[in-house]
Amino acid sequence: MLLQVNNLHAGYGAKQVIHGVDINVREREIVAVLGHNGAGKSTLMSAIFGAIPVVSGSVFFAGADITYSAPSDKVNAGLGYSPQGGESFRSLSVIDNLTLGGFALKDQSQIPGRIKQVQELFPALYERRNSRAGSLSGGERQMLSLGALLIAAPRLIILDEPSGGLSPIMVDKMYEAIENVAKTLNASVLLVEQEAHHALEIADRAYVLGNGRVTFEGPAKELAESDKLSNLLLGF
Amino acid sequence: MEYFQHLLIMVLIYACLTVSLDLNIGHAGILSFGHASFYGIGAYTTAILTVYAGLDWFSAMVLAFATGAIIAALIGLPTLRLGGDYFILALFGFSLIVTSLIINMEWLTNGPFGIRGVPRPSIGPYQVQSGYGMLGFIAIMTAFIFFVHWRFASSPMKAALHAVRDDESVAMSLGINVVRTKITVFALGGGFAALCGAMGAFYFRFVSADSYGLQTIILLWAMLFVGGNCSLLGAFVGPAVLMLFPEMFRFIGGQGWDIGHIQEALYGLLLILLMMFRPQGLVGNKVGLRT
């Protein structure tokens, strides 16, 4: 098991949002987390990465307890996290954005090779390497932010709403890219989506969150074909 | 000539203050309203250590830098976690406290009378006298401060700092320690502002509380935004324009004109026009601006 989240409780100050969630991700698996607005999807992802404090429970990654380790240690362990609405750094060049993806790496000498690898995956990031990220299109910026994550060679990529703010055509491309990246790099993906259709198409398994608890867990296909899907997503 | 020497020295001191404020505002997005206080803390530290404690000028200057940096780090520790507008208010409160402490801690600061008789710097047997010697001293200090900022602007640290400025949560997700980065850069800004305070104390040989209050903060912000963010040249241009522009009015107009009021009105007009037509500053970088 690559990621194992046990009985996690988390929230913001006195307001608890996640009430005892258990989820796990295996090697080379794509897992979708769905749920209604305010179900706690993003909170769960932040808590797994440690962007917000965990109240109780634990997060194990590749066998090690990382519940309270520093973000830089998590990056080095192979955990990549793209927060909701998180994007590229607009004032920096494409190449600087990619280089920062390896900021926390203990072995900085690997960065140039990895940048080359990412630019092969996304040729646009090579062509526009010296442009400011702010001058890229929304879709290109999303690719750049995904590309920057890959510089640290993550074994698990956590994506919080990768389709956020993108046009339907770009959403298709983004999902193609995620599937492609997972395959090429042998990485697992844990992704959060508001819109279930695309996520269930590429996912192996899915969880549905409702009011901070897991309300469904199973193969993505089963959930996609289930007539209870819309009820689950609405939180009933 | 002395008049021009004075103007040049003032432009250089303010250029150093502006470039250190730019480190906070331009590069890190830390909207510091405490910069004038660190400037004052540096000036008072220098005056107290040389006049009362009899310390040599160089040690006093180094200690002024350290004091500014340490106080900035201590203030930054709780306040840098606040959101932008709350941080501005918190630092505004801090600057009020500093001014009030300087005026009321008479046993240390001589209260509203200020401290006189700060010695001139000396190197070996050579004592820097007023005029060219002082201009040379300030120019060397300016060169040093700009060199440090230039080295910073061409180091990998800059990208990490801009990342924190652009998007804190993404920077954190890449393993950048956001709070520590902000505290470090805020402490450096405070240290350099204090160093400017030491330079000012050596030049004026006198420190007093009213030089480091609200007016100075606003002047420094204006200098930074007139010159432009994230630009070493801008840090010169801003102070040069805002120091020399009002001086020009001394030579125009006839007798009996109320020069003071016209001067301030034109000065205000210049600021308004500049922000309307060139919000990135005269030589600044458009992308350095926060939107």
Side-chain angles (χ1 to χ4, degrees):
Chain A
M1 202 63 73
L2 188 59
L3 177 79
Q4 198 165 352
V5 177
N6 307 313
N7 195 21
L8 197 72
H9 295 257
Y12 305 91
K15 187 175 170 16
Q16 194 172 324
V17 179
I18 300 295
H19 308 276
V21 166
D22 297 275
I23 66 168
N24 52 60
V25 181
R26 301 188 191 98
E27 297 268 3
R28 284 184 288 281
E29 191 182 36
I30 298 181
V31 174
V33 174
L34 310 171
H36 60 86
N37 237 331
K41 306 183 296 289
S42 293
T43 309
L44 176 61
M45 297 305 124
S46 327
I48 290 174
F49 190 75
I52 60 163
V54 166
V55 176
S56 68
S58 61
V59 180
F60 279 78
F61 183 69
D65 186 348
I66 59 156
T67 319
Y68 300 104
S69 26
S72 59
D73 292 335
K74 288 174 181 150
V75 171
N76 269 297
L79 192 58
Y81 167 58
S82 169
Q84 183 178 30
E87 251 201 27
S88 320
F89 304 114
R90 289 175 180 240
S91 69
L92 298 179
S93 67
V94 168
I95 197 82
D96 279 351
N97 266 282
L98 291 173
T99 309
L100 274 174
F103 181 85
L105 285 184
K106 290 195 176 96
D107 183 5
Q108 295 273 311
S109 67
Q110 294 179 322
I111 296 175
R114 299 244 177 91
I115 289 181
K116 231 179 129 194
Q117 200 183 353
V118 166
Q119 286 173 330
E120 275 161 20
L121 273 168
F122 304 114
L125 300 185
Y126 177 75
E127 285 152 26
R128 306 209 54 185
R129 59 193 176 280
N130 293 321
S131 312
R132 304 230 175 231
S135 71
L136 304 182
S137 71
E140 285 171 321
R141 275 204 301 274
Q142 289 279 30
M143 298 294 173
L144 176 55
S145 103
L146 178 59
L149 268 191
L150 301 180
I151 303 301
R155 296 170 66 191
L156 171 65
I157 306 164
I158 300 178
L159 301 172
D160 196 342
E161 290 220 27
S163 69
L166 294 182
S167 67
I169 297 169
M170 278 317 299
V171 174
D172 288 344
K173 282 196 177 164
M174 191 67 204
Y175 270 91
E176 231 170 78
I178 293 169
E179 223 180 346
N180 187 19
V181 159
K183 244 182 233 149
T184 326
L185 303 178
N186 285 324
S188 305
V189 176
L190 176 61
L191 67 95
V192 159
E193 269 300 352
Q194 180 85 353
E195 185 260 346
H197 170 69
H198 278 92
L200 289 178
E201 219 163 70
I202 68 163
D204 301 303
R205 279 190 311 121
Y207 291 88
V208 178
L209 283 191
N211 298 318
R213 290 179 178 85
V214 175
T215 54
F216 172 90
E217 171 182 0
K221 218 173 156 205
E222 187 183 306
L223 180 62
E225 286 162 4
S226 162
D227 47 1
K228 284 188 292 185
L229 175 64
S230 53
N231 275 350
L232 278 166
L233 293 185
L234 288 170
F236 296 122
Chain B
M1 266 339 268
E2 251 173 52
Y3 169 65
F4 287 105
Q5 267 167 9
H6 168 72
L7 280 184
L8 198 51
I9 287 173
M10 292 308 291
V11 168
L12 290 181
I13 292 176
Y14 274 107
C16 293
L17 276 168
T18 306
V19 82
S20 59
L21 183 62
D22 190 29
L23 185 63
N24 283 341
I25 294 183
H27 289 288
I30 300 170
L31 304 175
S32 173
F33 243 61
H35 216 63
S37 302
F38 298 123
Y39 177 44
I41 286 166
Y44 266 90
T45 306
T46 307
I48 289 165
L49 289 177
T50 52
V51 177
Y52 293 162
L55 208 65
D56 68 285
W57 69 276
F58 190 78
S59 313
M61 199 166 73
V62 172
L63 285 172
F65 179 90
T67 308
I70 290 167
I71 292 179
L74 291 177
I75 292 301
L77 209 60
T79 56
L80 281 169
R81 292 161 206 268
L82 299 172
D85 29 9
Y86 298 106
F87 177 75
I88 292 179
L89 277 177
L91 266 281
F92 182 59
F94 164 72
S95 74
L96 292 180
I97 291 172
V98 169
T99 311
S100 157
L101 283 179
I102 289 176
I103 291 174
N104 288 296
M105 285 167 71
E106 286 188 22
W107 57 274
L108 186 67
T109 61
N110 202 25
F113 304 107
I115 302 173
R116 286 177 194 284
V118 179
R120 298 273 191 199
S122 55
I123 298 152
Y126 174 69
Q127 168 113 32
V128 175
Q129 296 299 333
S130 53
Y132 285 115
M134 206 57 217
L135 182 58
F137 169 74
I138 298 289
I140 290 168
M141 290 300 299
T142 306
F144 166 72
I145 290 173
F146 270 74
F147 175 74
V148 173
H149 284 80
W150 171 74
R151 279 304 297 263
F152 163 77
S154 46
S155 79
M157 259 300 283
K158 189 185 92 166
L161 207 53
H162 286 193
V164 169
R165 178 194 68 195
D166 283 8
D167 193 325
E168 285 189 14
S169 57
V170 180
M172 185 279 300
S173 76
L174 297 179
I176 298 173
N177 190 328
V178 172
V179 172
R180 197 172 64 196
T181 306
K182 285 170 83 173
I183 289 174
T184 307
V185 77
F186 190 58
L188 278 177
F192 280 113
L195 197 57
C196 297
M199 288 156 63
F202 291 135
Y203 175 55
F204 293 116
R205 314 194 61 187
F206 170 65
V207 296
S208 111
D210 41 70
S211 317
Y212 313 108
L214 185 60
Q215 257 195 320
T216 310
I217 298 170
I218 292 171
L219 182 64
L220 289 178
W221 273 59
M223 284 174 170
L224 176 61
F225 283 92
V226 165
N229 274 272
C230 293
S231 158
L232 292 177
L233 182 62
F236 264 115
V237 170
V241 170
L242 289 195
M243 296 298 299
L244 303 182
F245 189 78
E247 297 294 330
M248 284 177 353
F249 291 98
R250 285 183 197 276
F251 303 105
I252 47 178
Q255 287 219 320
W257 281 35
D258 197 349
I259 293 294
H261 287 275
I262 298 170
Q263 193 175 314
E264 274 190 11
L266 282 171
Y267 182 77
L269 188 66
L270 172 83
L271 281 180
I272 292 172
L273 290 176
L274 198 74
M275 286 304 107
M276 281 172 69
F277 296 109
R278 234 188 126 69
Q280 74 269 39
L282 290 170
V283 295
N285 212 329
K286 215 168 201 162
V287 291
L289 274 182
R290 280 160 64 99
T291 44

